[in-house]
Amino acid sequence: KHKLKISFFNCSCLQYDNQINIRCPQYVLATMEAFNSKDLAMKAQKKILSSMANKSTVQRFIDDTTSEILDELYRVSKEYTGNKGAAQKVIKNLIKIAVKIGVLFRNNCFSDEELKLAQEFKKKLHTGAMTAISFYEVDFTFDKTVMSDNLTECKDLLLKLVNSHLTSKSHDRISHVFNHYSDPQLLTKLYDPNGPFRPNLTKICKGLDKLVEDGTI
């Protein structure tokens, strides 16, 4: 079996054929108290990519705008759960998922059928982003069921996409992230116009709007 091992930030990325594992020690997560997803994700990505691709062709898996959105999602999760560790775990899992799928794309691991699934996922994610922005911009239009269902559909498509490439533990991480953010109670609090998360939602939607304009999602 082909084995690729990459270390970054004392985190290890192991690839056995198309199976990828990434492990991070606890002290890395401790740096997330003053949370900055850019520090956590971008260093990891650059280290992986510099070992796997020509630097002239390297593009970041997670850009600055996405990192800012992740920071706000972390703050929302931390406040909503009242548990810093739980919030860190959600974002850590989200970053791991993004990096792993990025590695799979870089290595051309997906079949033609799987690439069709990837396009379907991107379209669904685009729809979700546009819906999230619309619900924010137009008062009294928020529908928790629409938002929750969209995120659940995204989760199902992503699980199909990586079914034969990632381990069951990674599948659980995907479910954990999407189940957390599709929670109708969390979404209701997030979209409460008079609630404490309004500033976070403003930044999240501004970031999403930029990603949509750029064609990222």
Side-chain angles (χ1 to χ4, degrees):
K1 291 184 176 181
H2 176 65
K3 176 181 177 182
L4 173 67
K5 180 175 182 179
I6 304 168
S7 294
F8 57 88
F9 224 30
N10 274 354
C11 304
S12 62
C13 173
L14 293 171
Q15 180 178 345
Y16 293 89
D17 294 331
N18 291 340
Q19 293 289 324
I20 299 172
N21 281 308
I22 297 179
R23 297 171 183 167
C24 297
Q26 282 301 116
Y27 79 84
V28 171
L29 301 182
T31 65
M32 295 171 72
E33 171 57 19
F35 189 81
N36 188 323
S37 63
K38 184 176 180 180
D39 288 342
L40 182 65
M42 300 305 291
K43 290 179 182 179
Q45 294 159 198
K46 287 178 182 178
K47 185 64 176 179
I48 291 175
L49 289 173
S50 66
S51 301
M52 300 183 66
N54 185 295
K55 290 183 180 179
S56 65
T57 64
V58 166
Q59 294 179 354
R60 295 179 293 183
F61 293 138
I62 301 178
D63 60 20
D64 291 341
T65 302
T66 304
S67 296
E68 291 168 4
I69 293 172
L70 292 178
D71 289 346
E72 295 307 319
L73 288 175
Y74 166 74
R75 295 182 182 109
V76 169
S77 295
K78 181 181 176 183
E79 186 68 24
Y80 177 73
T81 63
N83 188 321
K84 178 185 71 177
Q88 289 178 349
K89 185 175 182 180
V90 173
I91 300 301
K92 180 187 75 170
N93 284 345
L94 198 162
I95 290 172
K96 283 187 174 184
I97 292 164
V99 172
K100 288 181 180 183
I101 293 175
V103 170
L104 289 171
F105 269 109
R106 286 286 177 181
N107 284 319
N108 299 313
C109 294
F110 293 119
S111 67
D112 289 342
E113 287 301 312
E114 288 169 336
L115 289 174
K116 290 179 183 178
L117 275 175
Q119 284 301 314
E120 190 177 349
F121 170 76
K122 186 175 181 179
K123 288 179 182 178
K124 184 64 66 175
L125 197 62
H126 176 84
T127 299
M130 295 296 291
T131 302
I133 294 167
S134 176
F135 284 164
Y136 164 72
E137 292 180 339
V138 184
D139 292 339
F140 309 113
T141 59
F142 170 68
D143 188 324
K144 63 183 179 183
T145 301
V146 171
M147 284 291 296
S148 183
D149 287 351
N150 176 270
L151 288 169
T152 299
E153 290 169 6
C154 285
K155 176 189 71 175
D156 293 341
L157 285 170
L158 195 57
L159 286 171
K160 287 181 182 178
L161 176 64
V162 302
N163 181 56
S164 63
H165 299 285
L166 300 181
T167 65
S168 59
K169 190 171 184 179
S170 290
H171 297 173
D172 290 343
R173 288 192 179 104
I174 291 171
S175 295
H176 175 228
V177 170
F178 280 94
N179 290 344
H180 176 73
Y181 287 114
S182 65
D183 177 0
Q185 291 185 345
L186 184 154
L187 291 170
T188 299
K189 288 191 175 183
L190 180 62
Y191 275 88
D192 182 349
N194 300 312
F197 296 140
R198 194 65 179 180
N200 306 100
L201 181 62
T202 298
K203 293 178 182 178
I204 290 169
C205 288
K206 284 183 178 179
L208 288 175
D209 191 50
K210 187 175 187 303
L211 293 180
V212 169
E213 288 183 1
D214 293 346
T216 303
I217 57 174

